[in-house]
Amino acid sequence: MVLVWLETASFLSWVVKDFSWVLLIPETAWVGLLCALIFESWDIQNHWKVADRYDLAGRVVLLLWILGNGTWMTSELLYENPSKNITFPWFQGALLGPRTYVDQELKVLAGSFWALGLLLGLAAQMLGRRQGERALRSRLNADLWVIFWVLKDFFWLLALPWNALACSVVIFYCLIDLRPSSEPKVLTAALISWLCGNTVWLVGELFLADASVLPRVLTCVCLACSFCLGIKNFFEEQDDPEARSILPKSMGTVNHGKL
């Protein structure tokens, strides 16, 4: 029960962070980030006792993703002024004023976290598939969306819109086709809604150059739906431990030893 609660809390914290970031609300964005880091670290500590090496690798990839994403968010909120078309009464501009050098350093740090996550995730995928066990391959397929999400953020950070958009399409395919049929439909809907929100945000920022606040509003609608669906999934599936995992499956059927 503790593992399920932590996974749910971590997912919902991520959504709160994204919701706050897109609306440029630093206080709740950092609270969401801090909660996600705490819950994810706690989750890794719990999984260390029971999970196999591939599950643990997947958890560490998630932690590296949130570290990189949070670093990127912090650099924007502290040192970047938004487009003149993106105005909110509660955000008047970069909290510490534009500082290009520091901003770039933080973005390099964010990219470094993601690079480590990608290397670890790809290594786990390749080594796991070499085991040749069907159950393990199926579980690795179900976790592929995380790797492509990290890659999407990498391309977004580098302002490569088509590459990032292509990753969103692949993530959608992974969520629709590669996740086990035993996964709750509400859970899949929550993840897809989260993806849709991020993709709309990406399009508004990279393709439309933040020419309007409308994409951010639509993003918030998608994220709000994702948040509600995440909560709904938790309460609906609380009597079924196998169906309550918000994030990639952590209790695999194949055990190959600890890291």
Side-chain angles (χ1 to χ4, degrees), residues 1 16 23 34 39 45 51 72 118 131 166 178 191 215 222 227 230 245:
M1 180 64 184
V16 169
L23 289 180
L34 179 61
F39 292 137
Q45 189 273 331
W72 181 20
L118 286 172
Q131 298 290 333
L178 297 184
L191 293 172
C222 293
F227 187 87
S245 179

Side-chain angles (χ1 to χ4, degrees), residues 196-210:
C196 289
N198 272 261
T199 303
V200 171
W201 185 7
L202 183 158
V203 170
E205 185 172 303
L206 296 185
F207 286 91
L208 304 179
D210 271 338

Side-chain angles (χ1 to χ4, degrees), residues 96-121:
L96 297 182
R99 298 183 186 179
T100 304
Y101 176 76
V102 180
D103 184 34
Q104 291 301 318
E105 289 294 312
L106 286 175
K107 287 182 177 178
V108 169
L109 179 60
S112 299
F113 283 128
W114 291 336
L116 287 174
L118 286 172
L119 288 174
L120 178 59

Side-chain angles (χ1 to χ4, degrees), residues 15-156:
V15 175
V16 169
K17 174 195 66 66
D18 279 355
F19 188 92
S20 302
W21 186 2
V22 76
L23 289 180
L24 301 176
I25 308 175
E27 296 80 7
T28 52
W30 283 320
V31 169
L33 171 62
L34 179 61
C35 290
L37 288 172
I38 291 173
F39 292 137
E40 198 59 50
S41 299
W42 190 1
D43 197 30
I44 289 174
Q45 189 273 331
N46 279 278
H47 279 85
W48 195 274
K49 305 172 184 177
V50 295
D52 63 44
R53 68 185 67 181
Y54 303 108
D55 289 322
L56 287 172
R59 292 290 156 184
V60 174
V61 170
L62 288 168
L63 181 60
L64 289 169
W65 175 85
I66 195 65
L67 282 169
N69 195 268
T71 302
W72 181 20
M73 178 188 75
T74 298
S75 74
E76 288 199 351
L77 293 175
L78 291 180
Y79 303 115
E80 286 188 30
N81 286 322
S83 164
K84 62 181 181 180
N85 301 306
I86 306 300
T87 58
F88 298 104
W90 53 82
F91 191 81
Q92 306 304 319
L95 297 180
L96 297 182
R99 298 183 186 179
T100 304
Y101 176 76
V102 180
D103 184 34
Q104 291 301 318
E105 289 294 312
L106 286 175
K107 287 182 177 178
V108 169
L109 179 60
S112 299
F113 283 128
W114 291 336
L116 287 174
L118 286 172
L119 288 174
L120 178 59
L122 290 173
Q125 288 283 333
M126 290 187 292
L127 292 174
R129 292 175 193 281
R130 290 178 62 182
Q131 298 290 333
E133 299 185 35
R134 184 174 180 180
L136 179 58
R137 287 200 305 271
S138 176
R139 186 153 50 88
L140 291 171
N141 285 340
D143 292 353
L144 268 176
W145 68 272
V146 178
I147 294 177
F148 281 100
W149 199 303
V150 175
L151 193 59
K152 172 184 69 68
D153 280 358
F154 215 135
F155 288 135
W156 192 344

